[in-house]
PDB file of all heavy atoms in Angstrom:
ATOM      1  N   ALA A   1     102.039 118.412  81.854  1.00 94.00           N
ATOM      2  CA  ALA A   1     102.492 118.230  83.227  1.00 94.00           C
ATOM      3  C   ALA A   1     103.202 116.888  83.355  1.00 94.00           C
ATOM      4  O   ALA A   1     102.933 115.943  82.605  1.00 94.00           O
ATOM      5  CB  ALA A   1     101.310 118.300  84.195  1.00 94.00           C
ATOM      6  N   ASN A   2     104.106 116.778  84.309  1.00 94.00           N
ATOM      7  CA  ASN A   2     104.899 115.566  84.507  1.00 94.00           C
ATOM      8  C   ASN A   2     104.196 114.618  85.479  1.00 94.00           C
ATOM      9  O   ASN A   2     103.707 115.035  86.530  1.00 94.00           O
ATOM     10  CB  ASN A   2     106.288 115.917  85.050  1.00 94.00           C
ATOM     11  CG  ASN A   2     107.061 116.815  84.106  1.00 94.00           C
ATOM     12  OD1 ASN A   2     107.145 116.539  82.918  1.00 94.00           O
ATOM     13  ND2 ASN A   2     107.599 117.898  84.624  1.00 94.00           N
ATOM     14  N   VAL A   3     104.182 113.339  85.108  1.00 95.00           N
ATOM     15  CA  VAL A   3     103.645 112.274  85.970  1.00 95.00           C
ATOM     16  C   VAL A   3     104.671 111.151  85.975  1.00 95.00           C
ATOM     17  O   VAL A   3     104.955 110.566  84.924  1.00 95.00           O
ATOM     18  CB  VAL A   3     102.287 111.758  85.456  1.00 95.00           C
ATOM     19  CG1 VAL A   3     101.716 110.737  86.434  1.00 95.00           C
ATOM     20  CG2 VAL A   3     101.312 112.897  85.227  1.00 95.00           C
ATOM     21  N   PHE A   4     105.243 110.870  87.130  1.00 92.00           N
ATOM     22  CA  PHE A   4     106.249 109.808  87.183  1.00 92.00           C
ATOM     23  C   PHE A   4     106.165 109.078  88.516  1.00 92.00           C
ATOM     24  O   PHE A   4     105.660 109.606  89.511  1.00 92.00           O
ATOM     25  CB  PHE A   4     107.667 110.368  86.992  1.00 92.00           C
ATOM     26  CG  PHE A   4     108.075 111.371  88.041  1.00 92.00           C
ATOM     27  CD1 PHE A   4     108.757 110.975  89.183  1.00 92.00           C
ATOM     28  CD2 PHE A   4     107.766 112.717  87.889  1.00 92.00           C
ATOM     29  CE1 PHE A   4     109.140 111.884  90.147  1.00 92.00           C
ATOM     30  CE2 PHE A   4     108.145 113.635  88.843  1.00 92.00           C
ATOM     31  CZ  PHE A   4     108.831 113.231  89.970  1.00 92.00           C
ATOM     32  N   VAL A   5     106.650 107.838  88.491  1.00 93.00           N
ATOM     33  CA  VAL A   5     106.676 107.015  89.694  1.00 93.00           C
ATOM     34  C   VAL A   5     107.856 107.449  90.552  1.00 93.00           C
ATOM     35  O   VAL A   5     108.979 107.635  90.050  1.00 93.00           O
ATOM     36  CB  VAL A   5     106.778 105.522  89.333  1.00 93.00           C
ATOM     37  CG1 VAL A   5     106.784 104.668  90.597  1.00 93.00           C
ATOM     38  CG2 VAL A   5     105.633 105.119  88.415  1.00 93.00           C
ATOM     39  N   LYS A   6     107.612 107.631  91.825  1.00 91.00           N
ATOM     40  CA  LYS A   6     108.643 108.134  92.727  1.00 91.00           C
ATOM     41  C   LYS A   6     109.862 107.214  92.755  1.00 91.00           C
ATOM     42  O   LYS A   6     109.744 105.990  92.765  1.00 91.00           O
ATOM     43  CB  LYS A   6     108.056 108.275  94.141  1.00 91.00           C
ATOM     44  CG  LYS A   6     109.004 108.916  95.133  1.00 91.00           C
ATOM     45  CD  LYS A   6     108.340 109.073  96.488  1.00 91.00           C
ATOM     46  CE  LYS A   6     109.299 109.710  97.488  1.00 91.00           C
ATOM     47  NZ  LYS A   6     108.676 109.853  98.826  1.00 91.00           N
ATOM     48  N   ASN A   7     111.050 107.850  92.717  1.00 86.00           N
ATOM     49  CA  ASN A   7     112.343 107.158  92.781  1.00 86.00           C
ATOM     50  C   ASN A   7     112.598 106.278  91.567  1.00 86.00           C
ATOM     51  O   ASN A   7     113.409 105.342  91.630  1.00 86.00           O
ATOM     52  CB  ASN A   7     112.471 106.319  94.063  1.00 86.00           C
ATOM     53  CG  ASN A   7     112.388 107.180  95.311  1.00 86.00           C
ATOM     54  OD1 ASN A   7     112.819 108.337  95.312  1.00 86.00           O
ATOM     55  ND2 ASN A   7     111.830 106.632  96.373  1.00 86.00           N
ATOM     56  N   THR A   8     111.911 106.523  90.466  1.00 87.00           N
ATOM     57  CA  THR A   8     112.143 105.784  89.229  1.00 87.00           C
ATOM     58  C   THR A   8     112.148 106.769  88.072  1.00 87.00           C
ATOM     59  O   THR A   8     111.833 107.944  88.218  1.00 87.00           O
ATOM     60  CB  THR A   8     111.065 104.714  88.986  1.00 87.00           C
ATOM     61  OG1 THR A   8     109.812 105.362  88.755  1.00 87.00           O
ATOM     62  CG2 THR A   8     110.947 103.779  90.176  1.00 87.00           C
ATOM     63  N   MET A   9     112.499 106.256  86.890  1.00 84.00           N
ATOM     64  CA  MET A   9     112.454 107.050  85.668  1.00 84.00           C
ATOM     65  C   MET A   9     111.220 106.732  84.843  1.00 84.00           C
ATOM     66  O   MET A   9     111.126 107.110  83.679  1.00 84.00           O
ATOM     67  CB  MET A   9     113.721 106.788  84.834  1.00 84.00           C
ATOM     68  CG  MET A   9     115.012 107.153  85.547  1.00 84.00           C
ATOM     69  SD  MET A   9     115.123 108.909  85.948  1.00 84.00           S
ATOM     70  CE  MET A   9     115.237 109.596  84.303  1.00 84.00           C
ATOM     71  N   HIS A  10     110.279 106.036  85.429  1.00 89.00           N
ATOM     72  CA  HIS A  10     109.083 105.600  84.715  1.00 89.00           C
ATOM     73  C   HIS A  10     107.968 106.621  84.901  1.00 89.00           C
ATOM     74  O   HIS A  10     107.702 107.072  86.022  1.00 89.00           O
ATOM     75  CB  HIS A  10     108.630 104.235  85.237  1.00 89.00           C
ATOM     76  CG  HIS A  10     107.431 103.693  84.526  1.00 89.00           C
ATOM     77  ND1 HIS A  10     107.428 103.406  83.179  1.00 89.00           N
ATOM     78  CD2 HIS A  10     106.185 103.388  84.979  1.00 89.00           C
ATOM     79  CE1 HIS A  10     106.244 102.953  82.833  1.00 89.00           C
ATOM     80  NE2 HIS A  10     105.462 102.928  83.908  1.00 89.00           N
ATOM     81  N   GLY A  11     107.340 107.032  83.817  1.00 90.00           N
ATOM     82  CA  GLY A  11     106.254 107.991  83.898  1.00 90.00           C
ATOM     83  C   GLY A  11     105.856 108.497  82.524  1.00 90.00           C
ATOM     84  O   GLY A  11     106.190 107.898  81.488  1.00 90.00           O
ATOM     85  N   THR A  12     105.167 109.620  82.502  1.00 93.00           N
ATOM     86  CA  THR A  12     104.701 110.197  81.245  1.00 93.00           C
ATOM     87  C   THR A  12     104.392 111.667  81.476  1.00 93.00           C
ATOM     88  O   THR A  12     104.619 112.200  82.582  1.00 93.00           O
ATOM     89  CB  THR A  12     103.445 109.455  80.739  1.00 93.00           C
ATOM     90  OG1 THR A  12     103.064 109.987  79.477  1.00 93.00           O
ATOM     91  CG2 THR A  12     102.294 109.621  81.706  1.00 93.00           C
ATOM     92  N   ILE A  13     103.863 112.338  80.437  1.00 92.00           N
ATOM     93  CA  ILE A  13     103.427 113.727  80.546  1.00 92.00           C
ATOM     94  C   ILE A  13     102.000 113.823  80.007  1.00 92.00           C
ATOM     95  O   ILE A  13     101.592 113.031  79.160  1.00 92.00           O
ATOM     96  CB  ILE A  13     104.350 114.700  79.782  1.00 92.00           C
ATOM     97  CG1 ILE A  13     104.375 114.354  78.296  1.00 92.00           C
ATOM     98  CG2 ILE A  13     105.749 114.679  80.368  1.00 92.00           C
ATOM     99  CD1 ILE A  13     105.160 115.335  77.458  1.00 92.00           C
ATOM    100  N   SER A  14     101.270 114.793  80.494  1.00 93.00           N
ATOM    101  CA  SER A  14      99.897 114.988  80.034  1.00 93.00           C
ATOM    102  C   SER A  14      99.900 115.678  78.678  1.00 93.00           C
ATOM    103  O   SER A  14     100.846 116.383  78.318  1.00 93.00           O
ATOM    104  CB  SER A  14      99.111 115.816  81.045  1.00 93.00           C
ATOM    105  OG  SER A  14      99.700 117.101  81.198  1.00 93.00           O
ATOM    106  N   ASP A  15      98.829 115.497  77.926  1.00 93.00           N
ATOM    107  CA  ASP A  15      98.730 116.123  76.617  1.00 93.00           C
ATOM    108  C   ASP A  15      98.166 117.539  76.761  1.00 93.00           C
ATOM    109  O   ASP A  15      98.089 118.086  77.868  1.00 93.00           O
ATOM    110  CB  ASP A  15      97.862 115.278  75.673  1.00 93.00           C
ATOM    111  CG  ASP A  15      96.439 115.107  76.197  1.00 93.00           C
ATOM    112  OD1 ASP A  15      96.093 115.748  77.213  1.00 93.00           O
ATOM    113  OD2 ASP A  15      95.668 114.341  75.601  1.00 93.00           O
ATOM    114  N   TYR A  16      97.762 118.133  75.638  1.00 91.00           N
ATOM    115  CA  TYR A  16      97.277 119.514  75.636  1.00 91.00           C
ATOM    116  C   TYR A  16      96.026 119.665  76.495  1.00 91.00           C
ATOM    117  O   TYR A  16      95.780 120.742  77.046  1.00 91.00           O
ATOM    118  CB  TYR A  16      96.991 119.960  74.200  1.00 91.00           C
ATOM    119  CG  TYR A  16      96.511 121.382  74.091  1.00 91.00           C
ATOM    120  CD1 TYR A  16      97.406 122.451  74.171  1.00 91.00           C
ATOM    121  CD2 TYR A  16      95.168 121.663  73.911  1.00 91.00           C
ATOM    122  CE1 TYR A  16      96.962 123.751  74.088  1.00 91.00           C
ATOM    123  CE2 TYR A  16      94.705 122.969  73.817  1.00 91.00           C
ATOM    124  CZ  TYR A  16      95.616 124.016  73.903  1.00 91.00           C
ATOM    125  OH  TYR A  16      95.164 125.307  73.811  1.00 91.00           O
ATOM    126  N   PHE A  17      95.242 118.620  76.620  1.00 93.00           N
ATOM    127  CA  PHE A  17      94.004 118.672  77.393  1.00 93.00           C
ATOM    128  C   PHE A  17      94.185 118.152  78.820  1.00 93.00           C
ATOM    129  O   PHE A  17      93.210 117.909  79.521  1.00 93.00           O
ATOM    130  CB  PHE A  17      92.910 117.874  76.681  1.00 93.00           C
ATOM    131  CG  PHE A  17      92.627 118.358  75.298  1.00 93.00           C
ATOM    132  CD1 PHE A  17      93.171 117.713  74.193  1.00 93.00           C
ATOM    133  CD2 PHE A  17      91.843 119.483  75.085  1.00 93.00           C
ATOM    134  CE1 PHE A  17      92.915 118.160  72.914  1.00 93.00           C
ATOM    135  CE2 PHE A  17      91.584 119.937  73.802  1.00 93.00           C
ATOM    136  CZ  PHE A  17      92.119 119.280  72.708  1.00 93.00           C
ATOM    137  N   GLY A  18      95.428 117.943  79.255  1.00 93.00           N
ATOM    138  CA  GLY A  18      95.703 117.483  80.607  1.00 93.00           C
ATOM    139  C   GLY A  18      95.536 115.998  80.825  1.00 93.00           C
ATOM    140  O   GLY A  18      95.648 115.517  81.959  1.00 93.00           O
ATOM    141  N   TYR A  19      95.298 115.228  79.773  1.00 95.00           N
ATOM    142  CA  TYR A  19      95.055 113.790  79.901  1.00 95.00           C
ATOM    143  C   TYR A  19      96.378 113.026  79.849  1.00 95.00           C
ATOM    144  O   TYR A  19      97.307 113.380  79.115  1.00 95.00           O
ATOM    145  CB  TYR A  19      94.128 113.320  78.779  1.00 95.00           C
ATOM    146  CG  TYR A  19      93.912 111.827  78.755  1.00 95.00           C
ATOM    147  CD1 TYR A  19      93.029 111.214  79.631  1.00 95.00           C
ATOM    148  CD2 TYR A  19      94.620 111.036  77.846  1.00 95.00           C
ATOM    149  CE1 TYR A  19      92.835 109.845  79.610  1.00 95.00           C
ATOM    150  CE2 TYR A  19      94.434 109.668  77.815  1.00 95.00           C
ATOM    151  CZ  TYR A  19      93.544 109.073  78.701  1.00 95.00           C
ATOM    152  OH  TYR A  19      93.370 107.713  78.670  1.00 95.00           O
ATOM    153  N   PHE A  20      96.460 111.951  80.612  1.00 94.00           N
ATOM    154  CA  PHE A  20      97.634 111.091  80.618  1.00 94.00           C
ATOM    155  C   PHE A  20      97.187 109.650  80.820  1.00 94.00           C
ATOM    156  O   PHE A  20      96.090 109.379  81.343  1.00 94.00           O
ATOM    157  CB  PHE A  20      98.616 111.484  81.729  1.00 94.00           C
ATOM    158  CG  PHE A  20      98.092 111.235  83.112  1.00 94.00           C
ATOM    159  CD1 PHE A  20      98.318 110.034  83.766  1.00 94.00           C
ATOM    160  CD2 PHE A  20      97.350 112.199  83.767  1.00 94.00           C
ATOM    161  CE1 PHE A  20      97.826 109.787  85.036  1.00 94.00           C
ATOM    162  CE2 PHE A  20      96.854 111.973  85.045  1.00 94.00           C
ATOM    163  CZ  PHE A  20      97.091 110.777  85.671  1.00 94.00           C
ATOM    164  N   SER A  21      98.045 108.707  80.428  1.00 94.00           N
ATOM    165  CA  SER A  21      97.772 107.286  80.605  1.00 94.00           C
ATOM    166  C   SER A  21      99.068 106.518  80.443  1.00 94.00           C
ATOM    167  O   SER A  21      99.808 106.742  79.470  1.00 94.00           O
ATOM    168  CB  SER A  21      96.719 106.807  79.595  1.00 94.00           C
ATOM    169  OG  SER A  21      96.451 105.420  79.770  1.00 94.00           O
ATOM    170  N   PHE A  22      99.351 105.627  81.374  1.00 93.00           N
ATOM    171  CA  PHE A  22     100.538 104.778  81.279  1.00 93.00           C
ATOM    172  C   PHE A  22     100.342 103.579  82.202  1.00 93.00           C
ATOM    173  O   PHE A  22      99.401 103.509  82.997  1.00 93.00           O
ATOM    174  CB  PHE A  22     101.813 105.551  81.640  1.00 93.00           C
ATOM    175  CG  PHE A  22     101.922 105.891  83.100  1.00 93.00           C
ATOM    176  CD1 PHE A  22     102.805 105.221  83.926  1.00 93.00           C
ATOM    177  CD2 PHE A  22     101.139 106.901  83.644  1.00 93.00           C
ATOM    178  CE1 PHE A  22     102.911 105.536  85.262  1.00 93.00           C
ATOM    179  CE2 PHE A  22     101.249 107.228  84.978  1.00 93.00           C
ATOM    180  CZ  PHE A  22     102.129 106.544  85.792  1.00 93.00           C
ATOM    181  N   VAL A  23     101.244 102.613  82.090  1.00 92.00           N
ATOM    182  CA  VAL A  23     101.169 101.373  82.867  1.00 92.00           C
ATOM    183  C   VAL A  23     101.932 101.561  84.174  1.00 92.00           C
ATOM    184  O   VAL A  23     103.090 101.979  84.177  1.00 92.00           O
ATOM    185  CB  VAL A  23     101.738 100.193  82.072  1.00 92.00           C
ATOM    186  CG1 VAL A  23     101.716  98.928  82.923  1.00 92.00           C
ATOM    187  CG2 VAL A  23     100.951  99.982  80.786  1.00 92.00           C
ATOM    188  N   ALA A  24     101.287 101.261  85.272  1.00 92.00           N
ATOM    189  CA  ALA A  24     101.891 101.368  86.594  1.00 92.00           C
ATOM    190  C   ALA A  24     101.578 100.100  87.389  1.00 92.00           C
ATOM    191  O   ALA A  24     100.935  99.167  86.885  1.00 92.00           O
ATOM    192  CB  ALA A  24     101.368 102.608  87.320  1.00 92.00           C
TER     193      ALA A  24
END
């Protein structure tokens, strides 16, 4: 799944188990 900061190109995607992690 897609996870990104609104109005920016910064974000990440979740892995096979739905987990995600990034700096915000």
Side-chain angles (χ1 to χ4, degrees):
N2 300 311
V3 184
F4 60 93
V5 181
K6 186 178 180 181
N7 299 327
T8 66
M9 300 298 293
H10 182 62
T12 183
I13 60 175
S14 61
D15 60 7
Y16 181 78
F17 302 99
Y19 175 79
F20 67 91
S21 180
F22 71 106
V23 177

